[in-house]
Amino acid sequence: MTEFLDLEFQDSVRMPWNVLPGTKSDAANCVIPISAIYTPLKSLPSTTPLLPYSPLRCRNCRSVINPFAIVDFSSVNKIWICSFCLQRNFFPPHYQSISDQNLPAELFPQYTTIEYETTATNEKAQVGSSNIFLFVVDTCVIEEELGFMKSALLQVLGMVPENCLIGLITFGTYIQVHELGFAQIPKVHVFKGSKEVTKDQVLEQMGFFAKRPRPTTGVIAGVRDGLSQESIARFLLPASDCEFVLNSILEELQKDPWPVPSDQRAARCTGTALSVAAHLLGVCVPGSGARILAFLGGPSTEGPGAIASKNLSEPMRSHKDLDKDSAPHYHKAVKFYEELSKQLVHQGHVLDVFACALDQVGVAELKVAVEKTGGLVVLAESFGHSVFKESLRRVFQSGDHDLGLSSNGIFEISCSKDIKIQGIIGPCASLEKKGPLCSETVIGQGNTTAWKLCGLDQTTSLCLIFDIVKKDSSDAIAQSANNQFYFQFLTYYQHGSGHMRLRATTLSRRWIAGPGSKEDLISGFDQEAAAAVMARQVSFKMENEAEFDPIRWLDKSLIHICSRFGEYQKDTPSSFTLSPRFSIFPQFMFNLRRSQFVQVFNNSPDETAHFRMILNRENVANSVVMIQPSMISYSFHSGPEPALLDVSSIAADRILLLDSYFTVVIFHGSTIAQWRKAGYHEQPEHQAFTQLLQAPRDDADAIIRERFPVPRLVICDQHGSQARFLLAKLNPSATYNSDIPAVPGGDILFTDDVSFEVFLDHLQRLAVQ
Amino acid sequence: MASPGGPRPGNLPPSFIPNSLANNMQNLQINQPNQPQSNNPTGGVSRPPNTTPFGQQPPPFAGSRPGPPPHSAFARGPVPPSPSGPPQTTLSPNVAPVRPAGPPPGSQPPTPFVSRPLPPGSLPSSMGGATVSLASGSSPQLGPGPHHGPFVSSPPMSGPAAPPPVRTSGPLSNGPPGITPAQFQAGPRFPPVMGSTPRPPPIAAPQPATMLSSGSSSQRPQLRPNFGGPPASASLATTHPGPSSAPPQNMLPPPAPSPFSAPIQSVPRPSGSPYGMQTWMSQQQQVAPPPPVSGLQPPRMFGMPRTLPNQSLAPTSPALFHTGAAGTAQSKVDPSHIPRPIPSSVVILHETRQGNQANPPPPATSDYIVKDTGNCSPRFMRCTINQIPCTVDLLSTSAMQLALLVQPLALPHPSEEPIQVVDFGESGPVRCSRCKGYINPFMKFIDQGRSFICNLCGFTDETPRDYHCNLGPDGRRRDADERPELCRGTVEFVASKEYMVRDPMPAVYFFLIDVSTNAIQTGATAAACSAINQVIADLPEGPRTAVGIATFDSNIHFYNLKRALQQPLMLIVPDIQDVYTPLESDVIVQLSECRQHLELLLESIPTMFQNNRIGDSAFGAAIKAAYLAMKSTGGKLLVFQSVLPSIGIGSLSAREAEGRSNISAGEKEANKLLQPADKTLKTMAIEFAEYQVCVDLFITTQTYVDIASISVIPRTTGGRVYYYYPFTALSDPAKLYNDLRWNVTRPQGFEAVMRVRCSQGIQVQDYSGNFCKRIPTDVDLPAIDCDKTIMVTLKHDDKLQDGSECAFQCALLYTTVYGQRRIRVSTLSLPCTTMLSNLFRSADLDTQFACILKQVTGEVPSTPLPQVAEQAKNLCINILHSYRKFCATATASGQLILPEALKLLPLYTLALLKSCGLRGDGRIDDRSSWINYVSHLSTPLAIPLVYPRMIAIHNLDEKELDSSLIPETVPLSSEHITDEGIYLLENGEDCLICVGNSVNPDILHQLFGISSVEEISSQFVLQQYDNPLSKKLNGIINEIRRQRCSYLRLKLCRKGDPSGTTFLSYMVEDKTPSGLSYVEFLIHIHQHIQRKMP
């Protein structure tokens, strides 16, 4: 395992197969696709320099020079050979001094991932140098929620860097675009929520041409194309200039005044509001890094993008409705948000959603727009909940746990010619740059070698899925001569500082083909990465393939992989063994089958969408936690130690800390709970107990501090109602109808789910057939 | 103020009372010296009670008025007791707060009346004709006794009778003049007063009337109308012959005088009685009930005194002239003898019924006080003919129109008793179960009171049990005199639940202000904001008053006024194709909650938009948006608009310019430009009306705004157009403010529905005015105010019984500004007749002319102008022809004989033909605006509109002692204008002051502060200088304002300028390139009539 982590440390990449099957058929047999989970902006080792110049590029394939390039120092002109297309390139004059002993950093072998910052790219610094935040605030909420939201926003406004531009849109039944730059009185432009607003209307109607005539031709976009800085500055102002105005507007912010009949939902025009926000940014600051922060307190019911009818008697769509295709608003809404996402991607802007409501707000429909623009999503029950408040703060917080928000990324892939790209599952949008590297089979954002990442941060992780196209492996000679596949990932983005940077990661992986390749493949198998890839794949397929049966697909895949890589005698289940490289993979699959990604019926479509969006942007380690929560037990008998994710881990005198990524549960065994209730921890003589109680709290805090979105913390006692957050995740080795009586102080689960043991039995049986 | 006299009828407060208005006013007004109200109550002596209320006369005004002291002395005496007392006292809740015109502070009796010195004259007047001499009663009024003397002389006759009393009434009538504190200068107080205007109504009488002797030389007469007396008399005599044997019928004549007059004060009358012939005109006699006083002014119709006593017959005084040879005819007419209106300033007391007979009303333009004795006051409803022809044939033979002019909330005279409010509780007012007519004094109770016969449909209804009352020996219910609904022509019923589809709406005022470049730069926006800001204080107090405000250019800007901490919030509605209101609430806020915000906002709007470069105006979208904001309640939408609506819903093109550039099309379809450009605005307007939104437009412009199109909105919603063209920031803001103030403070009601019911045999043919009609029988009025008049044309559907009475009942269901739902029911019962001569004798000139005016004007947009003119002329000719043919058969064929009652019809018709609306050469917008103005015009204002009042003001000094504030009028003929003179001409809206080229610079200096005619600028602001002349002028103008309830747009004109041309265009008696002179016109008519005669 550690070698994979080392690789990840250097290159921010994890691949299920670190030794690649060399042919198409081999690859097909591997079940898990050739893929990589890449975190473009993962912070680099501190020793890696930032290169203050532009990279050299291959004049043929445009890939960037890298340590794998062959450099010919001998020739007069100094030549390097591109590792992807084998093109010979001359070094430019200023590289003439290089030699074996004097290499530029990008050719150091340890700098396979390196970053360039080019000063020349800063021409846009004036306008978009810093981030632009457009707040889109739902006012169709009860007073209490509005109060929470206001205080959260007010708090955050103080944290926005002074040079960031800020805009504000509030909406309910109507949309109110606040003109922050009008000094005399507060001024808002009001749009009707029930009607789609076009970009042209925004241009025409918001007075962008009041002072100077509209150019007769051409596209109007920002200062460089037809708008005056002055007219833009009415809506988007540096935080330092509008803080007062904004504060007063927020303080006066009122609940949407339109009456809501008691049998109806509030008329909320989320779709139109977001669309107006997108238009406004598109008109004013296209191409600059800008984020729309949407604060939603309920479902959209008005105008395009409505996800529910106003009538309360018609319930919100459930997974069942979606399955049966009986959610009347769903497809229309999704289509609307798809269009919105295209616009945002085109403009390079990000949509972040903060959805805080007991009911669903339409994250499922919004998912496409958030995901394609690389936005953040936070789902909480209330604007007063710490999940929301803390998460929001994290967005603006600088320092240790800075999210490292960056924007306007373009991600490109180069790779050896025998590999093609199927697509990316993750927060990005295809730029539709087709090329010879595109595979015919497409998954996720495919059919391209370049993607747009409007918003990305340090943890944004893309799952790249490849295809091996080499037909046969008969050519053993070639294999030995050139058994490396090369990948290069280029990420061009606007750093939080406003500068444009390019990060280049170049990978080399050995490939192998032919009958003897199994051992090599096993040695390069990263089961965590494999689980993460499987999770993204199964989620993607569930959403995009009709009639897809995820359990069946996962089981088949697992069986297939086990029979391919396991050691056994045919038809003898008991003989079945797996290499350590594969040993916990079945367990991952078992838990994946039971996870929120697959067992969606316990959750609302919004929650599922939320889970999947986060899965799709997280790295392998975090994905694994989502799939298979980690559990630590604390007791007087021993120090904190990992515990089995099993009901048998429950004991009366233990505290369990479960991290299922979205939720962190501290579970007090019944004895511990009694002690706590008796107040022992407040007595000086029981300091040990105090510490025992505190230990999991500290650990939980540490988790929470690092994670975005902030997980929900549940503290519960054995037999308490909240304990379900823990119980649901445990392996049901002891259930109400199992033969073995519960251990005293332990617990049993009321479920008919199969336990891992049963699952494994079946697997072995089927794998050996 | 305590009500001295006031027997207050019901417990309920009267619906509204002028005086109380006045009281309020006092509080509001700043400048005015407050006269202690205390005086009033005591009033008896020194000052007529009524006057007090209005006390607030603007100082300037007061000062100037010389007259008061003396007059008052005698005037007052009588007054106090007069009924007037009660009115003031009552403060009914629903009173409209401010009567704009506050007359002088208590101390002075309203100027006009009081000032009149003529003691003697006054009473006599009543008899009017009495003296053989030509003079008719009118004389009294004019101060300058001497001159007039000649014909004025009439006074003598009456003299004996009641001396002073007459006067008394005078004071009462005046409305308080000064409206509010004049903003800029002291001068302008806006006197909109109640209806009573002393002025123009011509009093025909004086003159020998109308006859023209053909023989006279052609010379252009100077204006000596006054003197006219002598000659006239001669001619007149002839006229009487009054072939018209028709003598008035019955009722009145013989007994006539006495009966009526009798009731109350005999005093004045004694002598009069003999003359009584005019009985039918009973009005003259009216007596003010309590006080002995009766001001009788003979209305013009009386004029014909000569016949003297007996005459009941000579109801009409025909004027005739012989046509010699046709061609030469004109030369024979002595212009100084032709009929002209002679205004009377004497107050008439009018009892609506006397001796169980309908009493013909005094001229609409005269000053009168009504005592409701069964029929409603003529202010509320008057008929073109005061006797109803029994058959349709008779009516068509007369060629007259049968129509009612209904002004349901007309401003009463302050001395009149308030309208009584009757509450029937849950069950609502008693109504006929068949026709739904309301209980009224003419419902006949039978069968011991157990049932009653409806006077409208004839159905016999059972009396509701708890309404039962036994009948007295006279067949009337014993409680008839205690129950207002059984003894008054006008009462207000408290509406019960069944009259409400929702709770009565609050008083909502929404101001919509144009802030496009043009409006900002011309100062229109600032003027509007300032006017609104000042008017806020005048809005009805209380929790039911809500206001909203919005501005617009190419966007619409609403303002959220309900904000706890901060300034108002501007909400911009950018979509002007599909508008909406940006907030459900908070755009319209209770006044008490947002007063400060509102003031702040109004102050800052002009600066906020001072650099606005948006020239477009989304007028249609803006009013639609405002309407949407008001939709839930309804209310008044007051729009200040400065340019042509150029974008958004209902945008318009500058079609006037298009018409000009394409001459041929323009000519052919000239009247197209007077029609709305399309239906969009009409559709919108109907929707507004449905939701009780009334739109008033204040157009402050310097360009074409297509009034023809946009006026559809106010016309349909019960509003009106105020037109300020060309707008100047110097002089118009004062008028704008005063117009706005009157608009919101005058008596008014909301969400009204009106229906007129008639006795069997007559039915309503059509309604016309500013309203929306969804079903044929009712008109919907989102708002109705005291100035709005509705014409109701009638038709026969059966024969009426001779000797019976025909009743008309106008029921107006409305909500007061204080949120009470009321039904105002006015009932008018008129005798039926089969005699044509009765019809002519009882014709009501003012009403008839108002009808003609409205009808003809209504045709203008849809019919080519020559046809319209022809139609107008024919209306006049046909009537005169009918009279000539059937009622004046005995006279020589060469004579033009005019019915006395209608003798001014030709003059007015001529004036109409030359009026702005019927001249083809005016600006389209001016004409449209004129047409619109006419559509809701009240009867008293109809005549001045076409035949304005002109007075000389250069010689005010000389008339120092004159009792009348307003000098005698000058006929509208340029012959009466000298180069040394300064003349003031006013038509109720505009006031032109024409300065001759050789005016004494000293006078110029005194009046205008300038030293030569060259310095005259058309932008004129009346100022008061410290000299008697200037004070007088201010006094006069304030008085006119008071009378007209209008602030008047003052303009200075100078001969030779375009402004002078404008002035001359009002000289309707002159010959113009396109029109005949008055004399020529008479001849022209005469020829037509002769041609028609067999």
Side-chain angles (χ1 to χ4, degrees), chain B residues 249-251 383 385-398 400 402 759-763 794-808 830-840 842:
Chain B
Q249 309 319 30
N250 35 40
M251 17 218 77
C383 186
I385 315 175
N386 288 303
Q387 297 194 29
I388 305 303
C390 285
T391 65
V392 68
D393 292 343
L394 185 63
L395 179 64
S396 45
T397 304
S398 77
M400 289 191 285
L402 187 59
S759 286
Q760 268 182 315
I762 301 274
Q763 65 182 44
L794 304 169
K795 65 180 179 193
H796 283 79
D797 58 3
D798 201 354
K799 261 185 167 167
L800 299 170
Q801 193 80 41
D802 189 11
S804 67
E805 289 209 337
C806 175
F808 304 95
L830 296 173
C832 302
T833 184
T834 51
M835 305 279 289
L836 191 58
S837 56
N838 282 349
L839 293 187
F840 281 106
S842 60

Side-chain angles (χ1 to χ4, degrees), chain B residues 554-632:
Chain B
S554 63
N555 287 341
I556 305 152
H557 325 112
F558 283 86
Y559 298 88
N560 179 347
L561 300 169
K562 191 172 189 173
R563 310 248 299 165
L565 307 171
Q566 305 166 14
Q567 299 162 286
L569 166 68
M570 183 195 286
L571 299 149
I572 299 172
V573 175
D575 189 343
I576 49 173
Q577 296 300 336
D578 176 19
V579 294
Y580 39 88
T581 170
L583 277 182
E584 156 74 6
S585 52
D586 298 355
V587 163
I588 296 176
V589 182
Q590 277 185 24
L591 178 57
S592 51
E593 292 181 9
C594 68
R595 201 179 287 267
Q596 278 169 330
H597 278 334
L598 195 57
E599 286 169 5
L600 187 79
L601 179 63
L602 286 164
E603 276 161 26
S604 55
I605 283 175
T607 44
M608 224 155 49
F609 290 99
Q610 66 186 349
N611 296 320
N612 194 354
R613 306 256 194 79
I614 300 175
D616 281 321
S617 159
F619 167 80
I623 55 172
K624 177 100 185 252
Y627 146 71
L628 291 171
M630 306 169 71
K631 195 171 172 182
S632 60

Side-chain angles (χ1 to χ4, degrees), chain B residues 448-482:
Chain B
Q448 294 308 307
R450 280 192 288 266
S451 42
F452 63 91
I453 301 171
C454 175
N455 60 326
L456 297 167
C457 66
F459 187 72
T460 305
D461 286 280
E462 275 196 20
T463 310
R465 176 164 302 175
D466 49 4
Y467 193 63
H468 179 264
C469 176
N470 282 324
L471 304 185
D474 55 354
R476 298 177 72 218
R477 281 169 59 120
R478 288 182 186 279
D479 62 354
D481 290 332
E482 283 93 64

